Amino acid sequence: MELWTKEHFWQLVPSVIVMIIIALVLNKFIGNKPLKIRMIPFQILAVLLFISEIGKQVISFSRGYNLYHIPLHVCSLFIPLIPLMAFYNGRHKEAVRTITCSVTMALMMFMAIYPNLIYGSWNITNFFNDYFDFHTVFYHNVVIFEFILIIVLRLHHIGEGKHVRNMALLGVGFSAVAGTMSQILKTNYANFYTCNIGPINDFVNTIKDALGYTVGQTIYVIILGILHVLFFIGCYYLYRAIDKLNIRLRGRGEE
């Protein structure tokens, strides 16, 4: 269970430093502009992220399609969420933006603590050799950059809304779909089929051996679903804390 590899260090650390520098430069030029101007870099990245995912799906179909490429992973949530935050201005705007920022912050946290869980060193090594490896690294780094822009350019501050309820509903809905499809397709979306953390997977297999596969797997999926709900709620509270700190240090941006 290696948290970081040397490949992650040499790829992530310089990349994040460059992202922060670019965000600070952008803040110097557009930091005092209205929100619709400050959102432009976020919108450009949202388009690039969406196009990269279309490319992934097209290439996967051209190669016979890998079921693992169906966007049912936690990080697949960014495919609709980030473009929605970038361009949606309807009455549910606050809910969409709070959910997006909370989940984006979660990826930032994982990339800081356990990047090897998000993508492997082989993805970095083969970045220029295969589109899927390129996409994996590019996609997640774009999301990191989006979060940095959210903080530096003050693209969102939490407003009124039933945010805990929304995060819980997101967790329940995602778990129901990803958990069910994992069993039907026997494909490991969001770890709902098997756990890719070795010691935990060994423990789960012990439970299955004792209770039988069906009962053991059902218990595993239910527990994992509950953990996803708690995880999404926890993401909101952590993002709220970061948002309050950002307001205190930088002040509210002009809306």
Side-chain angles (χ1 to χ4, degrees), residues 79-94:
I79 300 169
L81 286 178
I82 286 182
L84 276 173
M85 177 173 172
F87 298 104
Y88 175 70
N89 288 295
R91 67 189 184 96
H92 300 295
K93 177 179 70 175
E94 172 59 23

mmCIF file with all atom_site columns, all heavy atoms in Angstrom, residues 79-94:
data_model
loop_
_atom_site.group_PDB
_atom_site.id
_atom_site.type_symbol
_atom_site.label_atom_id
_atom_site.label_alt_id
_atom_site.label_comp_id
_atom_site.label_asym_id
_atom_site.label_entity_id
_atom_site.label_seq_id
_atom_site.pdbx_PDB_ins_code
_atom_site.Cartn_x
_atom_site.Cartn_y
_atom_site.Cartn_z
_atom_site.occupancy
_atom_site.B_iso_or_equiv
_atom_site.pdbx_formal_charge
_atom_site.auth_seq_id
_atom_site.auth_comp_id
_atom_site.auth_asym_id
_atom_site.auth_atom_id
_atom_site.pdbx_PDB_model_num
ATOM 1   N N   . ILE A 1 79 ? -17.266 14.679 -14.527 1.00 0.00 ? 79 ILE A N   1
ATOM 2   C CA  . ILE A 1 79 ? -17.658 14.842 -15.941 1.00 0.00 ? 79 ILE A CA  1
ATOM 3   C C   . ILE A 1 79 ? -18.908 15.710 -16.062 1.00 0.00 ? 79 ILE A C   1
ATOM 4   O O   . ILE A 1 79 ? -18.938 16.638 -16.877 1.00 0.00 ? 79 ILE A O   1
ATOM 5   C CB  . ILE A 1 79 ? -17.853 13.471 -16.613 1.00 0.00 ? 79 ILE A CB  1
ATOM 6   C CG1 . ILE A 1 79 ? -16.555 12.665 -16.557 1.00 0.00 ? 79 ILE A CG1 1
ATOM 7   C CG2 . ILE A 1 79 ? -18.306 13.649 -18.063 1.00 0.00 ? 79 ILE A CG2 1
ATOM 8   C CD1 . ILE A 1 79 ? -16.722 11.205 -16.949 1.00 0.00 ? 79 ILE A CD1 1
ATOM 9   N N   . PRO A 1 80 ? -19.970 15.456 -15.253 1.00 0.00 ? 80 PRO A N   1
ATOM 10  C CA  . PRO A 1 80 ? -21.101 16.391 -15.313 1.00 0.00 ? 80 PRO A CA  1
ATOM 11  C C   . PRO A 1 80 ? -20.945 17.591 -14.379 1.00 0.00 ? 80 PRO A C   1
ATOM 12  O O   . PRO A 1 80 ? -21.382 18.693 -14.708 1.00 0.00 ? 80 PRO A O   1
ATOM 13  C CB  . PRO A 1 80 ? -22.288 15.523 -14.881 1.00 0.00 ? 80 PRO A CB  1
ATOM 14  C CG  . PRO A 1 80 ? -21.689 14.508 -13.972 1.00 0.00 ? 80 PRO A CG  1
ATOM 15  C CD  . PRO A 1 80 ? -20.319 14.213 -14.523 1.00 0.00 ? 80 PRO A CD  1
ATOM 16  N N   . LEU A 1 81 ? -20.333 17.386 -13.202 1.00 0.00 ? 81 LEU A N   1
ATOM 17  C CA  . LEU A 1 81 ? -20.342 18.431 -12.182 1.00 0.00 ? 81 LEU A CA  1
ATOM 18  C C   . LEU A 1 81 ? -19.532 19.668 -12.570 1.00 0.00 ? 81 LEU A C   1
ATOM 19  O O   . LEU A 1 81 ? -19.993 20.804 -12.402 1.00 0.00 ? 81 LEU A O   1
ATOM 20  C CB  . LEU A 1 81 ? -19.824 17.870 -10.852 1.00 0.00 ? 81 LEU A CB  1
ATOM 21  C CG  . LEU A 1 81 ? -20.772 16.951 -10.074 1.00 0.00 ? 81 LEU A CG  1
ATOM 22  C CD1 . LEU A 1 81 ? -20.106 16.441 -8.812  1.00 0.00 ? 81 LEU A CD1 1
ATOM 23  C CD2 . LEU A 1 81 ? -22.083 17.674 -9.740  1.00 0.00 ? 81 LEU A CD2 1
ATOM 24  N N   . ILE A 1 82 ? -18.310 19.455 -13.075 1.00 0.00 ? 82 ILE A N   1
ATOM 25  C CA  . ILE A 1 82 ? -17.472 20.615 -13.393 1.00 0.00 ? 82 ILE A CA  1
ATOM 26  C C   . ILE A 1 82 ? -18.055 21.444 -14.539 1.00 0.00 ? 82 ILE A C   1
ATOM 27  O O   . ILE A 1 82 ? -18.125 22.680 -14.438 1.00 0.00 ? 82 ILE A O   1
ATOM 28  C CB  . ILE A 1 82 ? -16.022 20.174 -13.662 1.00 0.00 ? 82 ILE A CB  1
ATOM 29  C CG1 . ILE A 1 82 ? -15.354 19.816 -12.321 1.00 0.00 ? 82 ILE A CG1 1
ATOM 30  C CG2 . ILE A 1 82 ? -15.231 21.249 -14.400 1.00 0.00 ? 82 ILE A CG2 1
ATOM 31  C CD1 . ILE A 1 82 ? -13.911 19.401 -12.404 1.00 0.00 ? 82 ILE A CD1 1
ATOM 32  N N   . PRO A 1 83 ? -18.504 20.844 -15.652 1.00 0.00 ? 83 PRO A N   1
ATOM 33  C CA  . PRO A 1 83 ? -19.175 21.668 -16.666 1.00 0.00 ? 83 PRO A CA  1
ATOM 34  C C   . PRO A 1 83 ? -20.435 22.353 -16.142 1.00 0.00 ? 83 PRO A C   1
ATOM 35  O O   . PRO A 1 83 ? -20.737 23.488 -16.526 1.00 0.00 ? 83 PRO A O   1
ATOM 36  C CB  . PRO A 1 83 ? -19.508 20.659 -17.773 1.00 0.00 ? 83 PRO A CB  1
ATOM 37  C CG  . PRO A 1 83 ? -18.461 19.600 -17.631 1.00 0.00 ? 83 PRO A CG  1
ATOM 38  C CD  . PRO A 1 83 ? -18.265 19.471 -16.148 1.00 0.00 ? 83 PRO A CD  1
ATOM 39  N N   . LEU A 1 84 ? -21.179 21.681 -15.254 1.00 0.00 ? 84 LEU A N   1
ATOM 40  C CA  . LEU A 1 84 ? -22.366 22.310 -14.684 1.00 0.00 ? 84 LEU A CA  1
ATOM 41  C C   . LEU A 1 84 ? -21.990 23.540 -13.867 1.00 0.00 ? 84 LEU A C   1
ATOM 42  O O   . LEU A 1 84 ? -22.610 24.602 -13.983 1.00 0.00 ? 84 LEU A O   1
ATOM 43  C CB  . LEU A 1 84 ? -23.128 21.311 -13.808 1.00 0.00 ? 84 LEU A CB  1
ATOM 44  C CG  . LEU A 1 84 ? -24.101 20.376 -14.525 1.00 0.00 ? 84 LEU A CG  1
ATOM 45  C CD1 . LEU A 1 84 ? -24.644 19.332 -13.561 1.00 0.00 ? 84 LEU A CD1 1
ATOM 46  C CD2 . LEU A 1 84 ? -25.245 21.156 -15.153 1.00 0.00 ? 84 LEU A CD2 1
ATOM 47  N N   . MET A 1 85 ? -20.966 23.407 -13.034 1.00 0.00 ? 85 MET A N   1
ATOM 48  C CA  . MET A 1 85 ? -20.532 24.563 -12.256 1.00 0.00 ? 85 MET A CA  1
ATOM 49  C C   . MET A 1 85 ? -20.047 25.678 -13.177 1.00 0.00 ? 85 MET A C   1
ATOM 50  O O   . MET A 1 85 ? -20.268 26.865 -12.908 1.00 0.00 ? 85 MET A O   1
ATOM 51  C CB  . MET A 1 85 ? -19.423 24.175 -11.282 1.00 0.00 ? 85 MET A CB  1
ATOM 52  C CG  . MET A 1 85 ? -18.874 25.360 -10.503 1.00 0.00 ? 85 MET A CG  1
ATOM 53  S SD  . MET A 1 85 ? -17.715 24.895 -9.208  1.00 0.00 ? 85 MET A SD  1
ATOM 54  C CE  . MET A 1 85 ? -17.128 26.527 -8.706  1.00 0.00 ? 85 MET A CE  1
ATOM 55  N N   . ALA A 1 86 ? -19.400 25.298 -14.256 1.00 0.00 ? 86 ALA A N   1
ATOM 56  C CA  . ALA A 1 86 ? -18.830 26.283 -15.168 1.00 0.00 ? 86 ALA A CA  1
ATOM 57  C C   . ALA A 1 86 ? -19.897 27.072 -15.919 1.00 0.00 ? 86 ALA A C   1
ATOM 58  O O   . ALA A 1 86 ? -19.729 28.273 -16.154 1.00 0.00 ? 86 ALA A O   1
ATOM 59  C CB  . ALA A 1 86 ? -17.892 25.592 -16.163 1.00 0.00 ? 86 ALA A CB  1
ATOM 60  N N   . PHE A 1 87 ? -21.010 26.425 -16.285 1.00 0.00 ? 87 PHE A N   1
ATOM 61  C CA  . PHE A 1 87 ? -21.940 27.074 -17.218 1.00 0.00 ? 87 PHE A CA  1
ATOM 62  C C   . PHE A 1 87 ? -23.383 27.180 -16.722 1.00 0.00 ? 87 PHE A C   1
ATOM 63  O O   . PHE A 1 87 ? -24.167 27.922 -17.312 1.00 0.00 ? 87 PHE A O   1
ATOM 64  C CB  . PHE A 1 87 ? -21.928 26.317 -18.551 1.00 0.00 ? 87 PHE A CB  1
ATOM 65  C CG  . PHE A 1 87 ? -20.582 26.329 -19.232 1.00 0.00 ? 87 PHE A CG  1
ATOM 66  C CD1 . PHE A 1 87 ? -19.769 25.204 -19.222 1.00 0.00 ? 87 PHE A CD1 1
ATOM 67  C CD2 . PHE A 1 87 ? -20.117 27.476 -19.859 1.00 0.00 ? 87 PHE A CD2 1
ATOM 68  C CE1 . PHE A 1 87 ? -18.522 25.210 -19.847 1.00 0.00 ? 87 PHE A CE1 1
ATOM 69  C CE2 . PHE A 1 87 ? -18.885 27.496 -20.488 1.00 0.00 ? 87 PHE A CE2 1
ATOM 70  C CZ  . PHE A 1 87 ? -18.080 26.359 -20.479 1.00 0.00 ? 87 PHE A CZ  1
ATOM 71  N N   . TYR A 1 88 ? -23.727 26.444 -15.667 1.00 0.00 ? 88 TYR A N   1
ATOM 72  C CA  . TYR A 1 88 ? -25.122 26.456 -15.218 1.00 0.00 ? 88 TYR A CA  1
ATOM 73  C C   . TYR A 1 88 ? -25.370 27.628 -14.270 1.00 0.00 ? 88 TYR A C   1
ATOM 74  O O   . TYR A 1 88 ? -24.620 27.848 -13.319 1.00 0.00 ? 88 TYR A O   1
ATOM 75  C CB  . TYR A 1 88 ? -25.451 25.142 -14.508 1.00 0.00 ? 88 TYR A CB  1
ATOM 76  C CG  . TYR A 1 88 ? -26.830 25.096 -13.896 1.00 0.00 ? 88 TYR A CG  1
ATOM 77  C CD1 . TYR A 1 88 ? -27.968 25.034 -14.684 1.00 0.00 ? 88 TYR A CD1 1
ATOM 78  C CD2 . TYR A 1 88 ? -26.990 25.118 -12.505 1.00 0.00 ? 88 TYR A CD2 1
ATOM 79  C CE1 . TYR A 1 88 ? -29.236 24.982 -14.124 1.00 0.00 ? 88 TYR A CE1 1
ATOM 80  C CE2 . TYR A 1 88 ? -28.241 25.069 -11.931 1.00 0.00 ? 88 TYR A CE2 1
ATOM 81  C CZ  . TYR A 1 88 ? -29.362 25.002 -12.740 1.00 0.00 ? 88 TYR A CZ  1
ATOM 82  O OH  . TYR A 1 88 ? -30.616 24.952 -12.166 1.00 0.00 ? 88 TYR A OH  1
ATOM 83  N N   . ASN A 1 89 ? -26.435 28.376 -14.528 1.00 0.00 ? 89 ASN A N   1
ATOM 84  C CA  . ASN A 1 89 ? -26.790 29.529 -13.693 1.00 0.00 ? 89 ASN A CA  1
ATOM 85  C C   . ASN A 1 89 ? -28.263 29.520 -13.296 1.00 0.00 ? 89 ASN A C   1
ATOM 86  O O   . ASN A 1 89 ? -28.842 30.564 -13.015 1.00 0.00 ? 89 ASN A O   1
ATOM 87  C CB  . ASN A 1 89 ? -26.462 30.836 -14.419 1.00 0.00 ? 89 ASN A CB  1
ATOM 88  C CG  . ASN A 1 89 ? -24.966 31.090 -14.491 1.00 0.00 ? 89 ASN A CG  1
ATOM 89  O OD1 . ASN A 1 89 ? -24.311 31.283 -13.474 1.00 0.00 ? 89 ASN A OD1 1
ATOM 90  N ND2 . ASN A 1 89 ? -24.415 31.073 -15.703 1.00 0.00 ? 89 ASN A ND2 1
ATOM 91  N N   . GLY A 1 90 ? -28.856 28.334 -13.260 1.00 0.00 ? 90 GLY A N   1
ATOM 92  C CA  . GLY A 1 90 ? -30.261 28.213 -12.877 1.00 0.00 ? 90 GLY A CA  1
ATOM 93  C C   . GLY A 1 90 ? -30.457 28.307 -11.371 1.00 0.00 ? 90 GLY A C   1
ATOM 94  O O   . GLY A 1 90 ? -29.540 28.600 -10.610 1.00 0.00 ? 90 GLY A O   1
ATOM 95  N N   . ARG A 1 91 ? -31.666 27.984 -10.930 1.00 0.00 ? 91 ARG A N   1
ATOM 96  C CA  . ARG A 1 91 ? -32.013 28.170 -9.527  1.00 0.00 ? 91 ARG A CA  1
ATOM 97  C C   . ARG A 1 91 ? -31.317 27.175 -8.596  1.00 0.00 ? 91 ARG A C   1
ATOM 98  O O   . ARG A 1 91 ? -31.297 27.381 -7.385  1.00 0.00 ? 91 ARG A O   1
ATOM 99  C CB  . ARG A 1 91 ? -33.525 28.111 -9.341  1.00 0.00 ? 91 ARG A CB  1
ATOM 100 C CG  . ARG A 1 91 ? -34.184 26.771 -9.606  1.00 0.00 ? 91 ARG A CG  1
ATOM 101 C CD  . ARG A 1 91 ? -35.695 26.919 -9.586  1.00 0.00 ? 91 ARG A CD  1
ATOM 102 N NE  . ARG A 1 91 ? -36.380 25.650 -9.737  1.00 0.00 ? 91 ARG A NE  1
ATOM 103 C CZ  . ARG A 1 91 ? -36.829 24.930 -8.717  1.00 0.00 ? 91 ARG A CZ  1
ATOM 104 N NH1 . ARG A 1 91 ? -36.652 25.360 -7.477  1.00 0.00 ? 91 ARG A NH1 1
ATOM 105 N NH2 . ARG A 1 91 ? -37.460 23.791 -8.921  1.00 0.00 ? 91 ARG A NH2 1
ATOM 106 N N   . HIS A 1 92 ? -30.753 26.111 -9.166  1.00 0.00 ? 92 HIS A N   1
ATOM 107 C CA  . HIS A 1 92 ? -30.013 25.147 -8.351  1.00 0.00 ? 92 HIS A CA  1
ATOM 108 C C   . HIS A 1 92 ? -28.504 25.386 -8.407  1.00 0.00 ? 92 HIS A C   1
ATOM 109 O O   . HIS A 1 92 ? -27.711 24.516 -8.058  1.00 0.00 ? 92 HIS A O   1
ATOM 110 C CB  . HIS A 1 92 ? -30.324 23.719 -8.815  1.00 0.00 ? 92 HIS A CB  1
ATOM 111 C CG  . HIS A 1 92 ? -31.773 23.360 -8.718  1.00 0.00 ? 92 HIS A CG  1
ATOM 112 N ND1 . HIS A 1 92 ? -32.442 23.269 -7.504  1.00 0.00 ? 92 HIS A ND1 1
ATOM 113 C CD2 . HIS A 1 92 ? -32.692 23.076 -9.685  1.00 0.00 ? 92 HIS A CD2 1
ATOM 114 C CE1 . HIS A 1 92 ? -33.706 22.938 -7.724  1.00 0.00 ? 92 HIS A CE1 1
ATOM 115 N NE2 . HIS A 1 92 ? -33.882 22.822 -9.043  1.00 0.00 ? 92 HIS A NE2 1
ATOM 116 N N   . LYS A 1 93 ? -28.133 26.578 -8.833  1.00 0.00 ? 93 LYS A N   1
ATOM 117 C CA  . LYS A 1 93 ? -26.714 26.907 -9.008  1.00 0.00 ? 93 LYS A CA  1
ATOM 118 C C   . LYS A 1 93 ? -25.927 26.712 -7.719  1.00 0.00 ? 93 LYS A C   1
ATOM 119 O O   . LYS A 1 93 ? -24.825 26.144 -7.738  1.00 0.00 ? 93 LYS A O   1
ATOM 120 C CB  . LYS A 1 93 ? -26.570 28.343 -9.493  1.00 0.00 ? 93 LYS A CB  1
ATOM 121 C CG  . LYS A 1 93 ? -25.137 28.834 -9.637  1.00 0.00 ? 93 LYS A CG  1
ATOM 122 C CD  . LYS A 1 93 ? -25.073 30.271 -10.138 1.00 0.00 ? 93 LYS A CD  1
ATOM 123 C CE  . LYS A 1 93 ? -25.551 31.245 -9.077  1.00 0.00 ? 93 LYS A CE  1
ATOM 124 N NZ  . LYS A 1 93 ? -25.375 32.653 -9.506  1.00 0.00 ? 93 LYS A NZ  1
ATOM 125 N N   . GLU A 1 94 ? -26.455 27.161 -6.606  1.00 0.00 ? 94 GLU A N   1
ATOM 126 C CA  . GLU A 1 94 ? -25.726 27.068 -5.339  1.00 0.00 ? 94 GLU A CA  1
ATOM 127 C C   . GLU A 1 94 ? -25.480 25.612 -4.949  1.00 0.00 ? 94 GLU A C   1
ATOM 128 O O   . GLU A 1 94 ? -24.387 25.248 -4.516  1.00 0.00 ? 94 GLU A O   1
ATOM 129 C CB  . GLU A 1 94 ? -26.494 27.792 -4.235  1.00 0.00 ? 94 GLU A CB  1
ATOM 130 C CG  . GLU A 1 94 ? -25.927 27.592 -2.832  1.00 0.00 ? 94 GLU A CG  1
ATOM 131 C CD  . GLU A 1 94 ? -24.503 28.057 -2.676  1.00 0.00 ? 94 GLU A CD  1
ATOM 132 O OE1 . GLU A 1 94 ? -24.044 28.921 -3.460  1.00 0.00 ? 94 GLU A OE1 1
ATOM 133 O OE2 . GLU A 1 94 ? -23.812 27.549 -1.776  1.00 0.00 ? 94 GLU A OE2 1
#
